[in-house]
Amino acid sequence: MSGTYGRAFTLMRDEAGEAWREYTRHGFVEGLKDGTLPREAFLHYLRQDYVFLVHFSRAWALAVVKSETHSEMLTAVGTVNALVAEEMQLHVGICEAAGVSQDELFATEERAENLAYTRFVLEAGYSGDLLDLLAALAPCVMGYGEIGARLTTEATSETYHDWISTYAGDDYQQACVAVGELIEAALVRRLGENYDASPRWARLCKTFRTATELEVNFWQMGLTP
């Protein structure tokens, strides 16, 4: 799982401390695992997450602007495509099956927790460089990869199999690996091999931790339709 996502991600995750566990083992996540999560809560979360992914895709598009190499641009573009063409389509499919049209989905009113998280990520990109943006983006990408990989082996119910299998699947896991490689290479390019000794490292880890805490709030929002 996370060990395959690269050294930089592992260091940032460890620096996030208990916040990372609160995120990846939140009650919402455990409800997905054992099938006890109410369907109403899941659909409420999916609608908010669809809106989140609209902004998240824009943030990854901003990563193209902030890139300094062709390789960085390719990974950013690939991630935008995965979000728009694959992950958002998962939400559309599940919601349409539950009677929620794509137009209704796109028109979902954004909750305050969603607004706080998405604008934090975008502001990190607008005011900083690619490293600041990636530090804010990473918890969502890698966290869902970690959650999916764990739940696919621990799940005791088939209720949320489609959601779990998406994030445990090879395509998503490979996307996590690619983003991990992007973060590692971007850090080395800008800060050197010993990037974790740079004066910037603490600030990047703080950004990562804040985004992780906002993920915790997002799950909690999902439990309160």
Side-chain angles (χ1 to χ4, degrees):
M1 292 193 301
S2 60
T4 66
Y5 302 161
R7 176 175 178 264
F9 163 71
T10 301
L11 290 172
M12 287 183 172
R13 181 201 61 192
D14 292 347
E15 285 289 334
E18 187 60 26
W20 189 259
R21 180 176 177 82
E22 291 172 1
Y23 161 37
T24 57
R25 295 181 180 267
H26 190 277
F28 190 101
V29 175
E30 299 310 293
L32 291 169
K33 182 177 77 172
D34 61 19
T36 59
L37 180 70
R39 195 68 179 176
E40 180 186 1
F42 181 62
L43 290 173
H44 168 62
Y45 151 78
L46 276 184
R47 292 186 67 156
Q48 288 296 320
D49 199 46
Y50 182 87
V51 176
F52 172 87
L53 289 173
V54 170
H55 296 294
F56 204 61
S57 299
R58 291 169 177 157
W60 270 104
L62 182 58
V64 177
V65 178
K66 299 287 182 172
S67 292
E68 294 180 352
T69 70
H70 186 228
S71 177
E72 289 176 350
M73 294 178 75
L74 280 174
T75 301
V77 168
T79 305
V80 172
N81 183 66
L83 289 167
V84 175
E86 298 170 22
E87 193 172 354
M88 290 173 73
Q89 286 305 116
L90 167 73
H91 293 54
V92 171
I94 294 175
C95 286
E96 283 186 339
V100 180
S101 71
Q102 187 169 359
D103 287 343
E104 289 178 285
L105 197 55
F106 197 85
T108 297
E109 185 174 347
E110 194 173 14
R111 285 273 297 262
E113 298 91 337
N114 201 346
L115 184 70
Y117 189 7
T118 56
R119 299 325 187 266
F120 172 79
V121 173
L122 285 166
E123 175 57 24
Y126 288 139
S127 63
D129 64 3
L130 184 65
L131 297 183
D132 297 299
L133 179 57
L134 290 176
L137 289 167
C140 181
V141 178
M142 317 315 217
Y144 273 57
E146 213 176 86
I147 289 166
R150 179 173 67 87
L151 296 194
T152 198
T153 61
E154 295 183 5
T156 57
S157 168
E158 292 289 309
T159 304
Y160 296 109
H161 173 75
D162 288 350
W163 188 94
I164 294 170
S165 63
T166 294
Y167 296 104
D170 290 342
D171 288 346
Y172 192 84
Q173 289 296 317
Q174 186 52 49
C176 289
V177 171
V179 171
E181 291 172 349
L182 169 63
I183 295 171
E184 183 74 24
L187 281 162
V188 171
R189 175 179 174 81
R190 291 161 177 82
L191 304 181
E193 293 286 347
N194 297 320
Y195 51 77
D196 52 324
S198 165
R200 285 195 63 188
W201 180 249
R203 191 179 77 191
L204 293 171
C205 287
K206 182 179 180 181
T207 297
F208 182 98
R209 183 172 63 253
T210 299
T212 299
E213 292 166 350
L214 289 165
E215 283 283 1
V216 175
N217 293 345
F218 201 95
W219 287 137
Q220 196 61 38
M221 173 200 65
L223 294 176
T224 54

